[in-house]
Amino acid sequence: MDIQLINKLITFEGIDGSGKSTQIQLLNDWFDSNKIKINNIREPGGNNISEVIREVLLDRDNKINSFSETLLFLASRAQLVDETILPLLAKDEFVICDRFIDSTVVYQGYGRGLDIDLINKINLVTTQGILPHLTIYINIDVDMSVARRSVVNNDRMEAVGKLFLSNVKKGYDELADLYSERIKMINGDDTISNIQNNIQNIIKEQYKGLIC
Ligand code: ADP
Ligand code: TYD
């Protein structure tokens, strides 16, 4: 299976509350001001089937075992890649994805304790070999994640404890070390505008000549 490395797929990763949605929204304005079209996608979700799977996954009333949870995240991704991401990349458009393959490795692998090699293998099948050209990892610590989130409206994944989140963060830190070419780590404990500037600089560097 070919792994396409240079494409316009940019993914955002980080523990809950790290600021991904905030930064993606600002990035939209920046791309707009550069008159470059971008497509925003969130995981799990992004199309009819994946949004239905999202509801099942995040509903606090559902008791889902870890393996079935993993397969649901992967099923959602398989549909999203095939129906939405690949056609957009084929048109050479930018796709910004709020979470992607690394989320499953860290949440279900490092967090739930599932076999990481197995997750990597299924990830590769679900993405049809596509890897993001760039992954922005916004790094915050677990206490900041908890402090930034509402305790009232936590979804099923957010309702898990601090130990789980610490393992997830450890996973992100290790992946950033392991795949430092692709994953660029940014300090999320900074002002929103400083973080945005850092992200824009990284994107300019990665897509030289395309964005000023
Ligand atoms: P995520 O999408 O990663 O879960 P959000 O962008 O929704 O994170 O941010 C979670 C909360 O933290 C929001 O209330 C947001 O306004 C706030 N927030 C985001 N970035 C910062 C920052 N750099 N400093 C302080 N608060 C922030
Ligand atoms: P979401 O509300 O999108 O969280 P956030 O705003 O932090 O991105 O909820 C997605 C939740 O699902 C989040 O807690 C991370 C989790 N998740 C996994 O556990 N595995 C995965 O593969 C993905 C994509 C998300």
Side-chain angles (χ1 to χ4, degrees):
M1 199 180 283
D2 274 351
I3 297 183
Q4 195 180 322
L5 276 173
I6 302 218
N7 56 39
K8 291 182 181 163
L9 176 60
I10 302 174
T11 61
F12 276 73
E13 296 284 354
I15 59 176
D16 307 72
S18 53
K20 297 181 303 304
S21 322
T22 306
Q23 294 301 331
I24 290 172
Q25 223 171 338
L26 292 170
L27 209 53
N28 269 308
D29 302 339
W30 182 60
F31 272 89
D32 257 4
S33 67
N34 276 284
K35 304 208 174 354
I36 296 172
K37 182 174 182 218
I38 60 165
N39 303 276
N40 286 293
I41 290 165
R42 69 166 177 184
E43 270 219 25
N47 59 51
N48 287 348
I49 290 171
S50 305
E51 287 292 334
V52 173
I53 299 175
R54 178 187 175 89
E55 273 182 37
V56 173
L57 278 165
L58 299 187
D59 186 342
R60 283 189 74 157
D61 292 337
N62 288 340
K63 295 230 175 330
I64 310 178
N65 89 25
S66 297
F67 192 56
S68 137
E69 173 186 288
T70 306
L71 293 177
L72 283 168
F73 277 115
L74 290 162
S76 161
R77 180 163 312 128
Q79 185 68 30
L80 179 70
V81 168
D82 197 55
E83 188 179 329
T84 315
I85 295 181
L86 286 181
L88 290 170
L89 294 182
K91 288 197 280 174
D92 204 28
E93 292 186 12
F94 275 99
V95 179
I96 310 285
C97 205
D98 190 344
R99 299 192 176 283
F100 200 55
I101 46 174
D102 304 307
S103 282
T104 317
V105 174
V106 298
Y107 279 81
Q108 280 64 51
Y110 285 81
R112 301 281 194 220
L114 264 81
D115 183 341
I116 289 172
D117 286 341
L118 180 63
I119 294 175
N120 280 332
K121 279 191 192 128
I122 311 179
N123 251 339
L124 197 60
V125 177
T126 64
T127 58
Q128 302 185 32
I130 289 286
L131 270 181
H133 178 57
L134 171 64
T135 297
I136 306 274
Y137 161 37
I138 306 181
N139 182 12
I140 60 165
D141 66 29
V142 171
D143 287 334
M144 184 169 287
S145 164
V146 173
R148 280 192 192 166
R149 282 185 283 124
S150 142
V151 278
V152 186
N153 293 318
N154 275 349
D155 63 39
R156 196 183 63 85
M157 292 305 295
E158 287 171 334
V160 288
K162 265 170 91 170
L163 177 62
F164 176 83
L165 219 48
S166 300
N167 289 333
V168 169
K169 176 174 160 34
K170 179 169 171 271
Y172 273 130
D173 293 345
E174 287 189 13
L175 290 193
D177 259 1
L178 208 54
Y179 306 113
S180 56
E181 279 288 293
R182 170 174 68 86
I183 303 181
K184 304 297 175 198
M185 185 167 83
I186 284 193
N187 175 21
D189 182 12
D190 201 344
T191 64
I192 289 175
S193 67
N194 280 351
I195 297 171
Q196 179 62 198
N197 277 338
N198 292 337
I199 292 173
Q200 290 179 7
N201 286 336
I202 289 173
I203 293 178
K204 278 193 241 173
E205 178 64 27
Q206 294 291 317
Y207 295 97
K208 273 200 189 100
L210 282 179
I211 311 167
C212 308

